[in-house]
Amino acid sequence: MSGKSSRNQKLIRAPSDLVSKLSQEAACQGKTLYSYVTEIFEQATRAYEMKRSLKEILDTFEILDVPKEAGTIYTPRDVLDYLIQKTYGENGEELQRMWYHAGKWYGTYLKEKFEQPFDSFLRLLREGRWDLNEVAVNKSNGRIVLKCVSALTPQERSLLLQNFIEGAAHSLGYKTQEKNCFKGIICLTLFKHELRQPEEDSV
Amino acid sequence: MKRKLLAARLDLADKISEISSRKGTLYDYVNDILEQAIRAEEIGLSLKTVLDDRWTVKAMKDAGFILVPEKLLYDLAEVAYKRVGREKTTMLWYETGQWYGHYYGDLRKFEAAIKNCFWDVSEFKILEEKETAVLTCLSSKFSATYTELFSKFLEGALNALGLSLSQCEVSKGIINLKFVKPLDK
C-alpha cells in the first residue's frame, strides 16, 4: 500500500494528471473526491468479480444494446432446445435457411452501425449471450478461422447457430471456405471477398 | 510522471491492493482503473451504469437464458405448437416458468428479470394487494400462440412463488392474470 491515513482510509499513489481530472469530475457531480474514488473502486472490484477488467467491460459497452436493437430476444435455453428438437426433424433445412437469413440481416445491421462490423460481431459472440464458452479467431493469409465452442449444445442448435454466423459473415463480405459442426463446436474458415456475389451466398 | 496521494476507503484499498498483486503493481492497476473511469465519464456514463448493464448480461446467462432472433423463436413456437400439440407445449412453458419462479424465489426479483430481459414485452407489472396479485403483460409483437405460451410461463413462475391463478384473460399480445395469495397460517 502506498501510505496510511486515518483508521478507515488508506492513501494510494496515482498519476497527478488523473487525480486532477477526477477532482474536476467529482466537483462537477457535486461529490467529494473521496466518495467519487470510493465509487470507482467499488466498480473495479465488481468487475474483478465478473472476471473482467474495466477496460474489457468498457470495450464491449458500445455493443450492449445491439441485441435489443437488432431484433433478438432472450428465451430459456431449454425451451429453445425443445422447440428446435420438435421441429428440426421435418423442417431442418428450412430452419437452417431461416437462421442463415436472420444472420445476414444481423450482419447488415452491424455494417450500418459499426466501422469495424466483423470485429463487433466477434465481440457480440464473445460477450456471453449466445451461450458460447469460447470464441477463438485465427487470422492468417487473408483467411479467418473462427472456432466457437459451447459445451452441451445439441447438434441441431449448433447447426442453426453455424448458419446464423455464416449468414452474418457473408453479409459482411466474407465467404465460406470450409465448415464443420459437431455438438457445440463450430469451425468456420472464411475469406474476405470484396465484391460480394449475392447469388453465391446460399447455404 | 508526477504523483499524488488519493485517500481510499480502507476495505476497498485492501481489495484493490490484493487484486493488483495478481496483475502487476498497485500503481499500474490504480492508473488503469482511473483511466477507465475517466473514459466512461467522457462518453457520458458512470462506471456503475456500465457495470450494471454488464451484470444483467451475466445474470441472464447464469439463469439459463439465451439470445435468439425473435422472429425465429415465434415461428418455432408456432410450428411446435401445431406439431406437438397444445397440451405438451403449454406444459413445457409452464414447467419452465416454475423453474424460474424457484430460481428467483421472490416476486419482485422475477418481475425485475422479466422487465430487464424480455424487451419484446412493452408493459409488465405485478400489482400486489392484500390477498391478490394482478399481473399485466403487453406486447405488440407476440402472436396469439406465443401469448398463450408466455402466459403459461408466467403462471408457472407465480405458482412456484406460492400464488394460485384465479382468473386469466389471454388474447394476442395481452396477458392479464389474477392470482390469490396463500392464506397466512
Side-chain angles (χ1 to χ4, degrees), chain A residues 10 12 36 46 48 59 72, chain B residues 6 14 22 39 41 119:
Chain A
K10 272 190 181 176
I12 294 178
Y36 191 50
R46 203 173 156 207
Y48 180 76
D59 284 349
T72 51
Chain B
L6 266 182
D14 286 344
R22 292 172 207 152
R39 182 180 161 205
E41 296 293 354
W119 47 63

Side-chain angles (χ1 to χ4, degrees), chain A residues 76 78-79, chain B residues 63 65 89-106 110 114 118 149-162:
Chain A
D78 292 348
V79 164
Chain B
F65 286 103
T89 323
T90 52
M91 184 54 73
L92 166 76
W93 284 80
Y94 178 82
E95 287 174 355
T96 307
Q98 279 188 315
W99 190 90
Y100 281 98
H102 287 293
Y103 178 81
Y104 288 107
D106 176 271
F110 177 72
I114 297 291
F118 288 94
L149 296 175
F150 200 71
S151 76
K152 297 309 283 187
F153 173 80
L154 298 171
E155 184 189 334
L158 270 68
N159 279 171
L161 290 166

Side-chain angles (χ1 to χ4, degrees), chain A residues 1 10 29 37 47 54 58 69 90 139 143 152 156:
Chain A
M1 191 57 55
K10 272 190 181 176
Q29 295 183 20
V37 168
L54 283 179
L58 272 167
E69 293 167 0
E90 285 184 38
K139 296 181 185 180
R143 301 278 191 274
L152 308 175
E156 292 87 353

Side-chain angles (χ1 to χ4, degrees), chain B residues 85-140:
Chain B
R86 180 173 186 263
E87 194 180 337
K88 277 189 177 172
T89 323
T90 52
M91 184 54 73
L92 166 76
W93 284 80
Y94 178 82
E95 287 174 355
T96 307
Q98 279 188 315
W99 190 90
Y100 281 98
H102 287 293
Y103 178 81
Y104 288 107
D106 176 271
L107 197 59
R108 293 299 148 211
K109 281 185 187 165
F110 177 72
E111 184 184 26
I114 297 291
K115 283 180 174 173
N116 263 332
C117 82
F118 288 94
W119 47 63
D120 48 343
V121 169
S122 44
E123 178 77 26
F124 186 82
K125 62 184 174 190
I126 302 172
L127 290 178
E128 279 188 274
E129 288 179 10
K130 198 176 174 188
E131 294 172 353
T132 60
V134 178
L135 180 154
T136 307
C137 174
L138 305 174
S139 172
S140 58

Side-chain angles (χ1 to χ4, degrees), chain A residues 1-3 5-22 25 29 33-34 36-50 52-61 64-65 67-69 71-80 82-84 86-91 95 98-99 102-103 106 126-133 157 160 164, chain B residues 1-19 22-23 26-27 29-43 45-58 60-61 63-81 83-84 88-89 92-93 96 100 116-120 141-142 146 149 153:
Chain A
M1 191 57 55
S2 297
S5 180
S6 70
R7 183 178 290 181
N8 295 317
Q9 295 179 5
K10 272 190 181 176
L11 295 173
I12 294 178
R13 282 199 181 84
S16 173
D17 58 334
L18 290 180
V19 176
S20 301
K21 279 187 189 171
L22 289 176
E25 189 56 44
Q29 295 183 20
L33 179 60
Y34 176 75
Y36 191 50
V37 168
T38 299
E39 284 173 19
I40 292 170
F41 282 178
E42 278 172 348
Q43 299 311 318
T45 55
R46 203 173 156 207
Y48 180 76
E49 283 160 18
M50 291 157 73
R52 294 274 198 279
S53 69
L54 283 179
K55 185 176 182 308
E56 284 173 316
I57 289 174
L58 272 167
D59 284 349
T60 57
F61 188 76
L64 270 178
D65 280 340
K68 197 179 201 173
E69 293 167 0
T72 51
I73 50 172
Y74 279 112
T75 198
R77 189 193 295 116
D78 292 348
V79 164
L80 180 63
Y82 179 87
L83 295 178
I84 291 172
K86 292 297 174 191
T87 50
Y88 198 89
E90 285 184 38
N91 295 71
L95 284 178
M98 286 165 69
W99 283 66
Y106 201 76
R126 281 188 180 120
E127 57 108 39
R129 289 187 267 202
W130 290 96
D131 198 28
L132 296 170
N133 305 111
R157 176 150 62 84
L160 295 178
F164 181 82
Chain B
M1 186 180 285
K2 286 173 94 176
R3 298 175 182 195
K4 275 187 182 172
L5 287 172
L6 266 182
R9 210 173 71 202
L10 185 65
D11 60 327
L12 284 171
D14 286 344
K15 182 81 184 166
I16 294 290
S17 178
E18 183 198 326
I19 297 169
R22 292 172 207 152
K23 292 172 175 275
L26 175 63
Y27 180 78
Y29 187 51
V30 169
N31 188 5
D32 185 51
I33 290 171
L34 301 184
E35 274 180 355
Q36 298 309 320
I38 289 165
R39 182 180 161 205
E41 296 293 354
E42 280 171 357
I43 50 175
L45 299 161
S46 71
L47 278 183
K48 186 174 183 311
T49 309
V50 176
L51 269 287
D52 283 350
D53 279 3
R54 184 67 223 183
W55 190 263
T56 304
V57 174
K58 185 183 180 299
M60 300 315 296
K61 190 182 178 194
F65 286 103
I66 183 174
L67 270 188
V68 59
E70 63 183 1
K71 188 179 179 317
L72 298 183
L73 178 66
Y74 298 154
D75 287 352
L76 274 175
E78 209 72 43
V79 174
Y81 189 89
R83 185 157 302 156
V84 183
K88 277 189 177 172
T89 323
L92 166 76
W93 284 80
T96 307
Y100 281 98
N116 263 332
C117 82
F118 288 94
W119 47 63
D120 48 343
K141 296 184 174 181
F142 285 5
Y146 193 81
L149 296 175
F153 173 80

